Amino acid sequence: AINGSLPDVVAKANELYADNQYKSMTTATSYWGAFNFDRQSYALFNDPSVITTTKDDAQKADTKTAILNKYFRLAVYAAFSTKAHEAVSKGEERALDAARNTLVPYTFAVTSDGRTYGSILTQYVEELEPAFKGINLDDGQDAWYNPERAAKFAAKAKEELGDTISAWPIILDYPVYASNENQKNGALAMEKSIEDAIGEYVDVNLVYLEGNSSVYYSAFYNMPTGADNSIDCAFGAGWG
């Protein structure tokens, strides 16, 4: 296997094995971003000494209110660059090899009249939100990422939320598996892409969770109840 994130390794592999390289198939697991719509916990359920926020009560309330706004959520999604995130572990050239823009493959099913699952989904996406007119949800591209669209969504969210928000930007607590370099650097890339696009509206607070993976997953995945979810959002929800 070639580590695409190391340019020297890629260059040497291209020199020695130019005609003997292949790209492995995309696996059946898909990951996406998920928000906590009713956050109630601000520390790990199994270790209350591990605090997962730096926010005061007003900022906590602002975040909860903002997340419930459709355009705020769309703004965050549109500001997240899959390519920037994946380039950390795969390198720029292969960053979008495994990119998927739907929960299942674009060609997962085909109707009797020849329409793919992806094309049908695209139609409904455009109907639900006209700003997505012309979007191409096929695999292998950063379809949802659009900084200009993200800024428009964020401005609309701020307008709709009005004086229900005490102060901008909204702080989003995001969990980071601190001992995993790829995940840590991926989180930094995610933070940069979002704040570069909508930093006026969103401040991503990376919560570095020390220890093994069980500590990290106890923040948003391996909890006894939804009320024990102690983050605001994570690009780590998935199925497969």
Side-chain angles (χ1 to χ4, degrees), residues 55-149:
K55 294 184 282 192
D56 59 31
D57 288 344
Q59 291 167 331
K60 291 175 184 177
D62 283 345
T63 300
K64 182 176 290 191
T65 300
I67 285 176
L68 294 177
N69 181 273
K70 165 187 171 181
Y71 288 103
F72 179 82
R73 299 192 304 273
L74 288 176
V76 174
Y77 279 134
F80 171 69
S81 171
T82 297
K83 182 176 182 179
H85 182 273
E86 291 301 294
V88 168
S89 58
K90 298 180 177 67
E92 287 290 328
E93 184 179 349
R94 297 294 186 187
L96 293 176
D97 282 356
R100 174 155 291 156
N101 297 297
T102 52
L103 295 187
V104 296
Y106 192 88
T107 55
F108 177 70
V110 181
T111 63
S112 59
D113 61 353
R115 292 183 299 157
T116 61
Y117 159 80
S119 66
I120 294 170
L121 181 62
T122 299
Q123 174 189 335
Y124 285 112
V125 166
E126 292 177 334
E127 290 176 1
L128 286 168
E129 179 48 61
F132 289 120
K133 185 71 175 177
I135 194 170
N136 180 355
L137 298 180
D138 206 353
D139 289 352
Q141 57 186 319
D142 212 349
W144 297 103
Y145 175 60
N146 187 311
E148 293 76 20
R149 185 184 292 145

Side-chain angles (χ1 to χ4, degrees), residues 200-234:
E200 176 185 348
Y201 306 94
V202 176
D203 176 7
V204 179
N205 176 41
L206 299 180
V207 180
Y208 291 94
L209 296 167
E210 304 291 343
N212 59 31
S213 61
S214 65
V215 177
Y216 167 69
Y217 285 118
S218 67
F220 70 101
Y221 187 72
N222 289 331
M223 315 90 57
T225 71
D228 295 308
N229 187 324
S230 58
I231 54 85
D232 293 317
C233 65

Side-chain angles (χ1 to χ4, degrees), residues 2 17-25 94:
I2 300 170
Y17 311 110
D19 299 322
N20 296 284
Q21 296 182 30
Y22 69 93
K23 181 178 68 174
S24 60
M25 292 180 65
R94 297 294 186 187

